[in-house]
Amino acid sequence: MTAHTTTERPTYTLPSPRLRPFATVALVAVVVGQVMNFLLTWLAPGGDPSNGNSYDKVADNRGSFWALYAYGGVGIAVFTVGLAIAVCILVRERGAVLARIGAAVAVLSGAFLAAGLAAIAVVYSYATDTAALDETAGRAFVHYVNDHDGRVMGLVGPGALATILATLLIAVALLRSRVIPWWISALFLVGGPLGFVFASGTSGAVAALPGAVSAILIAGQAWRQTAA
């Protein structure tokens, strides 16, 4: 007679209902942050900053350019804080160390990206303002910035790398903990880096959707699991 053994899925303790207010803040922060980031990616004029913004496109939309980049950066920072809170609420047993490291790196990435996008907003807005610089000088300045963008990318670059690292750590922690359906964690793992493939325009907005949807689902799971 052959004995049959079954492998049961590890159980875990649901987050305390006392964490519900924090989960609510996390969900709101993730949703608001992702909406602001989506608007930045989809609508911001001037092109992809990694390839240099266009003087003409920025000059024609200087106010919206400044607002989208400056507040888009704030949105990214708000999103990373919300995501960090949601992950720490969800993962408290298996994968907890990875989750907390990933949460800290995510917040750090948001700070770098917010500072970098604010720098882009200010530099290009002033460079294309004819009250500050005439058009010839402004074009020359924009050309110089595009060719010597180390001071801007010195913030955006580490922020992007930290985002990818945080995504990997958080996704692995969620998969190990099994606190949410595996496909949400997998979608988050794929969606994070995918958002950097197309950085702007409609293609960028579409590429960012998997990461945005999965992040909202993660925060939603934290909110749902803290129900009394």
Side-chain angles (χ1 to χ4, degrees):
M1 183 174 178
T2 303
H4 294 279
T5 59
T6 57
T7 302
E8 296 182 358
R9 176 175 173 171
T11 59
Y12 60 91
T13 305
L14 290 175
S16 169
R18 289 180 296 179
L19 297 174
R20 182 73 161 195
F22 297 98
T24 302
V25 170
L27 179 58
V28 172
V30 167
V31 171
V32 170
Q34 288 291 37
V35 169
M36 294 172 71
N37 186 40
F38 180 82
L39 292 175
L40 166 65
T41 303
W42 185 29
L43 300 176
D48 181 354
S50 64
N51 295 322
N53 286 288
S54 162
Y55 178 93
D56 291 321
K57 289 182 179 179
V58 176
D60 291 342
N61 305 274
R62 193 171 65 254
S64 60
F65 177 91
W66 180 87
L68 286 167
Y69 273 87
Y71 288 101
V74 172
I76 293 174
V78 168
F79 157 72
T80 57
V81 171
L83 178 65
I85 295 172
V87 169
C88 289
I89 288 174
L90 285 170
V91 185
R92 296 176 301 118
E93 296 173 2
R94 292 184 61 188
V97 173
L98 282 179
R100 279 153 181 73
I101 295 173
V105 175
V107 173
L108 184 64
S109 75
F112 271 106
L113 289 173
L117 292 177
I120 291 172
V122 171
V123 167
Y124 286 92
S125 295
Y126 278 124
T128 54
D129 187 350
T130 54
L133 295 171
D134 62 62
E135 184 175 341
T136 300
R139 287 182 182 277
F141 183 57
V142 167
H143 180 73
Y144 179 85
V145 172
N146 288 343
D147 287 344
H148 304 82
D149 60 355
R151 294 182 183 179
V152 171
M153 295 310 296
L155 294 169
V156 175
L161 291 175
T163 298
I164 295 173
L165 177 59
T167 300
L168 176 61
L169 291 171
I170 289 172
V172 171
L174 289 170
L175 286 169
R176 287 199 64 212
S177 68
R178 301 185 183 183
V179 295
I180 63 176
W182 69 267
W183 62 267
I184 298 179
S185 304
L187 184 64
F188 181 72
L189 178 61
V190 174
L194 187 61
F196 291 100
V197 176
F198 302 99
S200 61
T202 302
S203 58
V206 172
L209 279 177
V213 170
S214 59
I216 292 171
L217 289 173
I218 290 170
Q221 287 285 330
W223 187 82
R224 184 177 67 85
Q225 292 188 22
T226 53

